Amino acid sequence: MRTLAYGSWPSPIDAALAAAHDGRPEYVGFVGDEVWWIEPRPTEGGRRTLVRRRNEEVGRETPPWKGGGGRRAGGREESVLPAPWNVRSRVVEYGGRPWAGAVVDGRPLVVFVDFADQRLYRYEEGGEPRPITPVSAVGAGLRWVEPQLRLERGEVWCVLEEFTGDGPTDVRRVLAAVPLDGSAAEDRDAVRELTDDRHRFVTGPRISPDGRRAAWLAWDHPRMPWDGTELLVADIGPDGTPGSPRTVAGGPEESIAQVDWSDDGRLLYTSDRSGWWNLYRDGEPLCPREEEFGGPLWKLGLRWFAPLAGGLIAVVHGRGATALGVLDPETGEIVDAAGPWTEFAPTLAVDGERVVAVGASPRSAYEVVELDTRSGRSRVVGAAHVDAVDPAYYPEPQIRTFTGPAGHRIHAHIYPPHNPGCVAPGGTPPPYVIWAHGGPTDRAPLVLDLAVAYFTSRGIGIAEVNYGGSSGYGRAYRNRLREQWGVVDVEDCAAVALALADEGTADRDRLAIRGGSAGGWTTAASLTTTDVYACGTILYPILDLAGWGTGETHDFESRYLETLVGPLAEVPGRYTERSPTAHADRITAPFLLLQGLDDVICPPAQCERFLARMEGCRVPHAYIAFEGEGHGFRRAETMIRVLESELSLYAQVFGLNPPGIPKLELAK
């Protein structure tokens, strides 16, 4: 055990290791009885690939840090599509479920969206992908998401996003049917529209077991889907077209997060009408609890529940953290899956009585998990977590609740500095960085993140704050941020930082804040309105409310500020008052600003205006812009530079000495 100053502890978790393990498996599904999913490839330009698990049993191996090759369980995995195929949709820019598959004549048949051109492709084992949708030269073209194979009709049903002009809000969305035979590959007229475009946003349709009804969700500006959605049901005519839809649930102040059908044809959905996203069947609550069975619909195709054969329902549920369970709708009882996983992502698939989900814990990253509901056995079947280093270097988090302004509760995860070979000299508490998550209607899950471990293993503490407005704690907690963005989030983060300093956990003079997207906003707003932090790291942020709300962002969030800040026409002064750009001259703390040049959600123009307003202020800072990166960094080389630059900033401001880190040049 060595005694070294905080921030100078040697660690085997370098930036390259953290970058290589960024991201998680998504959009699980069954193709026949095989499990398939989407998996990130940071070291392959950040592409997303489709992975399958062939049904072969293999055992567990020794971890590599003990001389072995890592742990695998449940079968041989293989990437279905080689580079440069990138399976990812851009509908509403955040995308959603980009693939669907089935076994036809004994072979997998898959349709998927390729990121480069956003066309739907048909792929059959042994062949090459073939486009089945056309290209449009209008605006951002045609985009597709949530494909569902309708083999009996020879079609793919999905959501179509079609741009009608060059502006980001010149767009319409409908449900559409694409011929599987490729006849629409060069012919837009061959795409059959299933609905009109009366609603601004729609989710993919769920078809009843008898094929006679379709159900989907819809909402309109200025609402976001967690504010209020409508659940629509329509009868499907003999020609395969849904008739006039009727609204059966939801409204301006009721959010329906997901809809599906039970085996016996009853409508299942999650609604927050009680203040919590609970599960309903034909309008009756199945398990009324003060916890969530749904969440914010940032991407189309997220699933928190899936009906099983025989009437049971697989559910992802919880308050804060989420568990995987099986709900008996007749008794309201839930039996949770046994295993080490303490957090499950909103993706589920079922095959008979098998459930596949994506779970993680503070000691393991997200992996594909299968639950056999007959035996109760759970096992990892894909993307198995591998301890690339001795897990003794992983952080040891604490779940904490703090008291904020007006006595509000603030939820947070505290990651103290931790290294099995080092301690710091007594008498001085460690530096801490407050992490503000994006969204802001989102939540920081308590799972293993090597980017967190990169700092904690070197002697820098991390505090993830699920500030007021975060999801996972009920609608009232989400609504705390209504018209209070830039106030509640800033106050809650500061309250946690100062509480840690007051109790002696953190050094009051060595506090920092960092965040991306909406978290970048909170970081910048904190640096312009408080004196709590000695420095900050701002990633792909919102900085100018007036610009962002009047054409500088995409359609999905173009009216989000009406909830978060207020209608621009009614409170224009508030937009200026809260914008970091308007008060850039108030910043006195050094900062690092990081931006993707291809970002259409938080465009580079926001950063450029912010820096122009700072000209002459002589505040040490660095601005790094990355070509080929959009909203959220995906390339390993980008993430390596981000982590090393961030650590260098803290080293210079806090007086740390991390070994082997390139020095970030700070301009004035």
Side-chain angles (χ1 to χ4, degrees):
M1 184 67 70
R2 304 169 64 186
T3 300
L4 296 171
Y6 289 116
S8 63
W9 299 348
S11 171
I13 303 173
D14 61 16
L17 183 66
H21 289 79
D22 185 74
R24 69 187 187 198
E26 295 183 292
Y27 307 117
V28 295
F30 283 96
V31 178
D33 62 355
E34 286 187 356
V35 180
W36 292 44
W37 64 92
I38 298 296
E39 192 167 293
R41 292 285 189 267
T43 58
E44 298 179 19
R47 77 183 185 102
R48 267 49 179 168
T49 188
L50 188 58
V51 177
R52 68 189 291 188
R53 167 198 168 272
R54 293 189 179 272
N55 291 330
E56 301 169 3
E57 291 295 331
V58 297
R60 295 175 181 265
E61 298 177 352
T62 306
W65 54 271
K66 289 185 177 179
R71 175 171 69 86
R72 293 184 294 142
R76 176 165 59 92
E77 298 173 26
E78 61 183 47
S79 179
V80 177
L81 299 165
W85 294 107
N86 187 356
V87 186
R88 180 177 156 214
S89 170
R90 285 189 60 181
V91 168
V92 300
E93 291 301 342
Y94 291 111
R97 186 175 182 88
W99 76 279
V103 172
V104 178
D105 296 329
R107 294 191 305 167
L109 166 65
V110 174
V111 294
F112 69 91
V113 178
D114 183 61
F115 183 73
D117 59 13
Q118 289 298 291
R119 299 173 84 179
L120 266 177
Y121 285 79
R122 171 177 176 157
Y123 170 75
E124 293 167 270
E125 189 175 21
E128 291 294 321
R130 295 184 291 115
I132 60 172
T133 58
V135 173
S136 169
V138 179
L142 302 173
R143 300 173 177 178
W144 317 83
V145 75
E146 278 200 89
Q148 299 173 53
L149 289 171
R150 302 297 308 280
L151 297 176
E152 74 282 3
R153 297 196 57 84
E155 293 178 329
V156 184
W157 284 25
C158 50
V159 175
L160 162 62
E161 180 178 81
E162 181 173 26
F163 282 80
T164 58
D166 294 331
T169 59
D170 297 333
V171 62
R172 62 192 292 269
R173 298 176 186 89
V174 297
L175 303 185
V178 176
L180 259 174
D181 62 9
S183 57
E186 305 296 336
D187 182 6
R188 169 65 180 85
D189 291 338
V191 175
R192 192 165 64 94
E193 296 194 6
L194 303 174
T195 64
D196 58 27
D197 58 1
R198 72 181 67 180
H199 291 291
R200 191 70 170 187
F201 303 95
V202 291
T203 65
R206 304 299 297 179
I207 310 303
S208 62
D210 61 8
R212 295 180 178 180
R213 290 174 293 169
W216 66 96
L217 307 180
W219 67 96
D220 294 288
H221 284 321
R223 286 174 287 159
M224 299 300 286
W226 43 86
D227 296 324
T229 53
E230 294 180 35
L231 169 51
L232 305 178
V233 176
D235 296 326
I236 299 176
D239 64 347
T241 302
S244 180
R246 53 193 182 277
T247 300
V248 299
E253 295 293 328
E254 180 184 356
S255 170
I256 312 292
Q258 184 192 336
V259 62
D260 212 324
W261 301 89
S262 64
D263 272 1
D264 59 359
R266 289 190 278 183
L267 196 62
L268 300 170
Y269 59 90
T270 51
S271 165
D272 71 350
R273 65 182 60 157
S274 69
W276 298 84
W277 272 304
N278 277 191
L279 190 57
Y280 292 78
R281 183 176 63 189
D282 287 343
E284 297 297 323
L286 295 179
C287 183
R289 295 185 181 185
E290 290 191 349
E291 61 179 64
E292 308 282 35
F293 292 75
L297 202 62
W298 280 103
K299 300 178 180 181
L300 302 185
L302 300 182
R303 299 192 78 187
W304 291 268
F305 72 88
L308 288 151
L312 300 177
I313 305 170
V315 293
V316 171
H317 69 105
R319 184 169 183 160
T322 51
L324 172 65
V326 177
L327 168 67
D328 185 337
E330 305 309 322
T331 65
E333 296 180 353
I334 298 177
V335 177
D336 286 336
W341 311 283
T342 57
E343 185 80 42
F344 281 85
T347 180
L348 286 174
V350 298
D351 176 40
E353 293 173 308
R354 300 164 64 200
V355 180
V356 173
V358 174
S361 78
R363 308 296 292 176
S364 60
Y366 285 101
E367 45 194 2
V368 182
V369 177
E370 181 182 291
L371 168 65
D372 186 328
T373 59
R374 293 168 297 181
S375 66
R377 179 191 176 204
S378 301
R379 61 175 185 165
V380 176
V381 295
H385 170 75
V386 174
D387 288 319
V389 298
D390 187 336
Y393 286 92
Y394 295 164
E396 297 180 346
Q398 305 162 2
I399 301 174
R400 298 278 304 273
T401 303
F402 296 86
T403 301
H408 288 301
R409 293 163 62 88
I410 308 168
H411 303 281
H413 306 144
I414 309 303
Y415 298 85
H418 176 73
N419 185 306
C422 296
V423 294
T428 304
Y432 258 80
V433 184
I434 302 297
W435 281 26
H437 64 70
T441 309
D442 206 345
R443 177 177 62 89
L446 187 65
V447 300
L448 178 63
D449 183 345
L450 291 188
V452 172
Y454 177 78
F455 294 101
T456 58
S457 62
R458 287 170 168 77
I460 300 172
I462 301 293
E464 291 182 327
V465 181
N466 284 319
Y467 48 79
S470 301
S471 55
Y473 306 98
R475 184 165 184 127
Y477 196 79
R478 296 201 313 274
N479 284 351
R480 278 190 58 212
L481 209 57
R482 282 198 167 187
E483 299 196 8
Q484 296 298 310
W485 196 37
V487 178
V488 166
D489 50 325
V490 170
E491 291 178 344
D492 284 3
C493 287
V496 171
L498 294 175
L500 292 174
D502 289 345
E503 70 186 26
T505 298
D507 186 341
R508 174 64 183 87
D509 296 325
R510 295 190 294 175
L511 295 172
I513 185 169
R514 70 99 76 177
S517 189
W521 153 272
T522 301
T523 299
S526 297
L527 295 178
T528 58
T529 60
T530 78
D531 61 357
V532 173
Y533 309 102
C535 61
T537 300
I538 308 167
L539 300 97
Y540 38 89
I542 301 164
L543 296 169
D544 177 5
L545 292 178
W548 198 77
T550 55
E552 280 189 354
T553 192
H554 60 144
D555 185 57
F556 179 60
E557 292 180 275
S558 62
R559 305 281 295 277
Y560 194 9
L561 297 182
E562 294 193 26
T563 300
L564 293 175
V565 182
L568 177 60
E570 297 176 17
V571 289
R574 192 181 294 168
Y575 279 62
T576 302
E577 175 190 344
R578 295 190 191 166
S579 290
T581 295
H583 308 295
D585 56 343
R586 296 180 185 175
I587 291 185
T588 59
F591 65 89
L592 170 61
L593 182 58
L594 301 155
Q595 177 67 44
L597 291 177
D598 293 345
D599 194 339
V600 298
I601 296 173
C602 297
Q606 295 256 317
C607 292
E608 293 161 6
R609 281 201 300 275
F610 179 77
L611 293 171
R613 289 293 298 266
M614 287 203 63
E615 196 167 338
C617 293
R618 301 190 63 80
V619 175
H621 69 277
Y623 175 52
I624 306 175
F626 298 97
E627 292 187 4
E629 291 282 13
H631 195 68
F633 302 142
R634 290 176 170 81
R635 298 179 177 183
E637 58 269 27
T638 301
M639 291 181 279
I640 291 170
R641 191 173 182 195
V642 166
L643 287 173
E644 292 181 342
S645 299
E646 185 177 351
L647 180 55
S648 180
L649 172 70
Y650 303 148
Q652 294 180 57
V653 174
F654 295 155
L656 312 178
N657 186 31
I661 302 301
K663 184 177 180 180
L664 174 69
E665 295 298 326
L666 297 174
K668 289 187 179 180

